[in-house]
Amino acid sequence: MKPNRIKLSDVADAAGVSAATVSRALRNPDIVSQKVRERIQFVIDELGYVPDPAARALASARTDVIGVLIPSVTNSVFADVLRGIYSAAEGTSYRIQLGNTRYSVLEEEKLLKVFLSQRPAGLIVTGIDQSAASRAMLLKAECPVVQIMETGDRPVDMMVGFSHREGAFAATCHLIENGYKRIAFLGARMDPRTQRRLEGFSQALREAGLLDERLIVTTPRPSTVTLGSELLGELLARAPDADAVFCNNDDLALGVLFECQRRRIAVPDELGICGFNDLEMMAVANPAITSVRTFREEMGGRAFELLLGSLNGAPVGEGIVDLGFELVRRESTRRSALN
Amino acid sequence: MKPNRIKLSDVADAAGVSAATVSRALRNPDIVSQKVRERIQFVIDELGYVPDPAARALASARTDVIGVLIPSVTNSVFADVLRGIYSAAEGTSYRIQLGNTRYSVLEEEKLLKVFLSQRPAGLIVTGIDQSAASRAMLLKAECPVVQIMETGDRPVDMMVGFSHREGAFAATCHLIENGYKRIAFLGARMDPRTQRRLEGFSQALREAGLLDERLIVTTPRPSTVTLGSELLGELLARAPDADAVFCNNDDLALGVLFECQRRRIAVPDELGICGFNDLEMMAVANPAITSVRTFREEMGGRAFELLLGSLNGAPVGEGIVDLGFELVRRESTRRSALN
DNA sequence: TTGACAAATGAAAGCGCTTTCATTTTTCTA
DNA sequence: TAGAAAAATGAAAGCGCTTTCATTTGTCAA
């Protein structure tokens, strides 16, 4: 059963040194003489020695695991963030351990417990709305923690994100400026970030005296392109005079666009469409769809770098990074004639 | 630094039993008397004991880690597979460790080595085109292995997938049957699965005497919706008489559709479009796009279940699962008048 | 050259579990 | 009720590393 796997002591024997020296050559090469270090490296290559992470973790009371908690593996927004994380992790000795919370704070709590039991080197968690129990666990975790996707006061440790509220606010102002009067909100899933986008939306319209609650259509269902089509149908049944929609995200926006094509509703003249996140396809849709670009891959990368810095004893503080957003104006909101 | 974390022996002391018994109560409850078992459970809850996975791994020479190797975290195809895996893993004691090979066999080799060093409980790898070294490692791995996404002879251990060749063949036949004569292939990334789709495509056209190599447009670039638009442009520049495109995947197909809308090319009459994978948005596009549905989430789920079965000592053999595919005919290939 | 100090190395004690083997307790059969 | 077999438990030896502390080796100024 147990194969004759090469272990540290085998290397030590073959190199004619003690196990301690081999361990040091691996963990802390500087304190081993060059001659010995090279001999050890040679033997390691020769024998194909690979350290056992479990043994190392047990002996040193720490691992090279970075735990990452995201609400969904299929949502491309998080996929982008993940890619950023994996890219940044490339070449380091850290391993990513992914947890899928499915947008559930309870699930998050459970996963956090499991992750923490492994003594992770660091933790990346999504959002700022952890349960009290989760927050408590994070606060007393003996590793650096980065909250991503949003910024806010009260960080557990570090943060990298942007303001969804402001992003939505900016997008809505843009619609208002372009002369739209009956601006609707289409929202799915309604997770905390979506809620804050709705706040930004509402605020902009309220300030312009244009807010009409009947133009807000939301559902707890996860957002899909199909759902975008459906929600537009609902909206128009309820308020046929809507002249623009701000979609909680790009999937919905695309669904709205398809539905407009189907119903022969002219975009942007009869209906303006604005999405959120600026997925790649927004630019190539017909017409191209206005969206709020977010820097998802960079967010993942920065989160990992923050962790790394903290692990290398970088000065703490300066732990909140606001990546901002960028309103990308495209045809879908470019009205040819202002009404 | 080292906090007074509760350990097994603390539980044992508090429960008035030996450490061995606590360990058994955790790993193998049946062999501990009910009375003792309940007492131990009570103490565990009381103290909030959480086992240290590193210690367990070291002592038992195995972990509860299932390693998963996929070529991309952003490609929604793999995201779907992942979701299937995570769903199936839900409730089991296994942890998923994700590795991103970035479509590189060398990267795969490196990750495999890292994963194997952890003595994983099981391994899920993508595709059947591992390097010789990777294959060797997999063959002598002391854990069950499932290859996903494709079927083939020569499985390392178990397999769950489908035939990309046949999927593409069926789709192409469908185009031929619908009267298209100048059928093009648009392919991006050109990974092994894409290659096999191209084979299926070519075979169908060859059999029909319609194959024209000039209608095959490929690029090593990763596929995106934008790229679909671009490739259509390339195709039409090269062969303006193309009357249908089989797209290597749905992203490209969507890009093609947008480009058609832009160029006022009538779909399906002037140009038929067929995608691959049948992403959710295919059905709601305008017109709805014909695609080859694949069962990605189920694939992930089955892969995990196969692993689980094998770990629970299920009868080996029967390790190749072909999930098939389903050609979903939609408007984008429904010609109103046969030419 | 010598002594003092720094650098390099080794010996050995764990890290927190699992597991074998031995021992005790319980259950069952005759 | 005795005796044997089964069930339950405990003692103790590791699993493969890291790390402290002690020791040896090397370096340099006097």
Side-chain angles (χ1 to χ4, degrees):
Chain A
M1 190 69 227
K2 171 110 12 99
N4 36 7
R5 183 172 155 151
I6 306 292
K7 49 190 180 181
L8 189 80
S9 60
D10 297 329
V11 175
D13 291 350
V17 295
S18 73
T21 300
V22 177
S23 176
R24 277 189 282 253
L26 253 28
R27 296 295 122 246
N28 216 344
D30 312 331
I31 62 169
V32 173
S33 70
Q34 191 190 332
K35 209 180 58 186
V36 173
R37 202 191 319 144
E38 282 169 358
R39 182 148 36 96
I40 290 175
Q41 190 53 55
F42 177 80
V43 172
I44 285 177
D45 293 340
E46 191 82 346
L47 267 46
Y49 167 69
V50 185
D52 181 330
R56 175 182 307 178
L58 182 56
S60 65
R62 54 195 149 69
T63 63
D64 46 7
V65 169
I66 304 282
V68 177
L69 252 34
I70 57 175
S72 160
V73 286
T74 39
N75 185 327
S76 67
V77 166
F78 296 107
D80 288 337
V81 173
L82 262 192
R83 179 162 55 172
I85 294 177
Y86 274 94
S87 294
E90 182 89 347
T92 73
S93 65
Y94 293 99
R95 291 174 286 159
I96 305 299
Q97 172 108 32
L98 193 61
N100 180 2
T101 67
R102 301 156 166 242
Y103 291 96
S104 151
V105 287
L106 267 82
E107 191 63 28
E108 182 175 52
E109 223 171 283
K110 276 171 51 182
L111 283 168
L112 216 41
K113 206 172 293 180
V114 172
F115 277 24
L116 250 12
S117 79
Q118 296 180 59
R119 308 172 188 276
L123 238 29
I124 295 178
V125 301
T126 300
I128 58 178
D129 302 275
Q130 284 75 28
S131 72
S134 292
R135 195 176 164 83
M137 283 194 272
L138 288 172
L139 280 169
K140 74 175 180 197
E142 314 141 51
C143 67
V145 176
V146 182
Q147 292 168 292
I148 58 169
M149 295 306 293
E150 296 186 71
T151 49
D153 33 351
R154 294 213 323 145
V156 165
D157 184 3
M158 295 174 286
M159 258 180 181
V160 36
F162 66 95
S163 168
H164 292 250
R165 200 169 192 296
E166 287 174 22
F169 184 84
T172 310
C173 287
H174 164 72
L175 290 169
I176 296 170
E177 283 161 18
N178 279 22
Y180 294 106
K181 303 280 186 216
R182 301 287 293 159
I183 305 172
F185 180 93
L186 261 40
R189 176 130 267 159
M190 302 316 285
D191 60 275
R193 286 164 295 287
T194 300
Q195 305 267 17
R196 281 187 268 275
R197 285 180 213 156
L198 176 51
E199 282 172 25
F201 168 86
S202 300
Q203 186 191 340
L205 286 185
R206 202 177 300 115
E207 289 181 4
L210 291 173
L211 182 61
D212 181 348
E213 303 274 349
R214 286 167 303 180
L215 295 177
I216 296 175
V217 182
T218 67
T219 166
R221 291 159 62 196
S223 83
T224 59
V225 179
T226 307
L227 186 58
S229 291
E230 291 178 21
L231 289 181
L232 180 67
E234 251 180 69
L235 170 69
L236 293 181
R238 195 192 296 185
D241 63 333
D243 63 0
V245 287
F246 171 62
C247 299
N248 158 57
N249 67 42
D250 288 343
D251 288 342
L252 296 181
L254 188 59
V256 167
L257 176 61
F258 284 139
E259 189 62 23
C260 286
Q261 294 179 349
R262 217 168 279 119
R263 295 181 181 223
R264 310 235 177 279
I265 296 174
V267 177
D269 286 341
E270 289 178 64
L271 192 79
I273 304 179
C274 178
F276 201 100
N277 277 321
D278 196 31
L279 300 187
E280 176 259 332
M281 58 189 169
M282 292 295 103
V284 72
N286 182 48
I289 302 177
T290 294
S291 194
V292 177
R293 176 174 299 169
T294 56
F295 306 98
R296 304 177 295 281
E297 185 160 356
E298 186 180 354
M299 190 145 50
R302 290 294 287 277
F304 192 88
E305 284 163 14
L306 283 179
L307 240 32
L308 227 53
S310 179
L311 289 169
N312 295 331
V316 188
E318 263 333 291
I320 303 194
V321 179
D322 187 341
L323 254 26
F325 56 86
E326 181 191 339
L327 179 64
V328 184
R329 296 148 214 255
R330 297 203 184 90
E331 299 153 46
S332 72
T333 55
R334 195 172 295 149
R335 249 179 171 177
S336 49
L338 295 184
N339 304 30
Chain B
M1 190 69 224
K2 171 115 6 105
N4 36 7
R5 184 172 154 152
I6 306 292
K7 48 191 181 180
L8 189 79
S9 60
D10 298 328
V11 175
D13 291 349
V17 295
S18 72
T21 301
V22 177
S23 176
R24 278 188 282 252
L26 252 28
R27 296 294 123 247
N28 216 343
D30 312 330
I31 62 168
V32 173
S33 70
Q34 190 188 332
K35 210 180 57 186
V36 172
R37 202 190 320 144
E38 282 168 359
R39 182 148 38 96
I40 290 175
Q41 190 53 56
F42 177 80
V43 172
I44 285 177
D45 294 340
E46 191 81 348
L47 267 46
Y49 167 70
V50 185
D52 180 331
R56 176 181 307 178
L58 182 56
S60 65
R62 54 192 150 71
T63 63
D64 46 7
V65 169
I66 303 283
V68 177
L69 252 33
I70 57 174
S72 159
V73 286
T74 39
N75 185 327
S76 68
V77 166
F78 296 107
D80 288 337
V81 173
L82 262 192
R83 179 162 54 173
I85 294 177
Y86 274 94
S87 294
E90 182 88 348
T92 73
S93 65
Y94 294 99
R95 291 175 286 159
I96 304 299
Q97 172 108 33
L98 193 60
N100 181 3
T101 66
R102 303 157 164 240
Y103 291 96
S104 151
V105 287
L106 267 82
E107 191 63 28
E108 182 174 52
E109 222 170 285
K110 277 171 49 183
L111 283 168
L112 216 42
K113 205 172 292 178
V114 172
F115 277 25
L116 250 12
S117 80
Q118 297 179 58
R119 308 171 187 278
L123 239 28
I124 295 178
V125 300
T126 300
I128 58 179
D129 302 275
Q130 284 76 28
S131 71
S134 292
R135 194 176 165 84
M137 285 194 271
L138 288 172
L139 280 169
K140 75 175 178 197
E142 314 141 51
C143 66
V145 175
V146 182
Q147 290 167 294
I148 58 170
M149 295 307 293
E150 297 186 70
T151 49
D153 33 349
R154 293 212 324 143
V156 165
D157 183 3
M158 296 174 286
M159 258 180 182
V160 36
F162 65 96
S163 168
H164 292 250
R165 202 170 190 297
E166 288 174 21
F169 184 84
T172 310
C173 287
H174 164 73
L175 289 170
I176 296 170
E177 283 161 16
N178 279 22
Y180 293 105
K181 303 281 184 215
R182 300 286 294 158
I183 305 173
F185 180 93
L186 261 39
R189 177 129 265 159
M190 302 315 287
D191 60 276
R193 287 164 293 287
T194 300
Q195 305 268 17
R196 281 187 269 276
R197 285 179 212 156
L198 176 52
E199 282 172 25
F201 168 86
S202 299
Q203 186 190 342
L205 286 185
R206 202 177 301 115
E207 290 180 3
L210 291 172
L211 182 61
D212 181 348
E213 303 273 350
R214 286 166 303 180
L215 294 178
I216 296 176
V217 182
T218 66
T219 166
R221 291 158 62 194
S223 83
T224 59
V225 179
T226 307
L227 186 57
S229 291
E230 291 178 21
L231 290 182
L232 180 66
E234 249 181 71
L235 170 69
L236 293 181
R238 194 192 298 184
D241 63 332
D243 63 1
V245 287
F246 170 62
C247 299
N248 158 56
N249 68 42
D250 288 345
D251 288 340
L252 296 182
L254 188 59
V256 167
L257 175 61
F258 284 139
E259 189 62 22
C260 285
Q261 293 179 348
R262 216 168 281 121
R263 296 182 181 221
R264 309 236 178 280
I265 297 174
V267 176
D269 285 340
E270 289 177 65
L271 192 79
I273 304 178
C274 178
F276 201 100
N277 276 321
D278 195 31
L279 300 186
E280 175 260 332
M281 57 189 168
M282 292 295 103
V284 72
N286 181 49
I289 304 176
T290 295
S291 194
V292 177
R293 176 172 299 170
T294 56
F295 306 98
R296 304 176 295 279
E297 185 160 355
E298 186 179 355
M299 190 145 50
R302 290 295 285 278
F304 193 89
E305 284 162 14
L306 282 180
L307 239 33
L308 227 54
S310 179
L311 288 169
N312 295 332
V316 189
E318 263 333 291
I320 302 194
V321 178
D322 187 341
L323 253 27
F325 57 85
E326 182 192 338
L327 179 65
V328 183
R329 296 148 213 257
R330 299 205 183 88
E331 299 152 47
S332 72
T333 56
R334 195 173 296 147
R335 248 180 169 173
S336 49
L338 294 185
N339 302 32

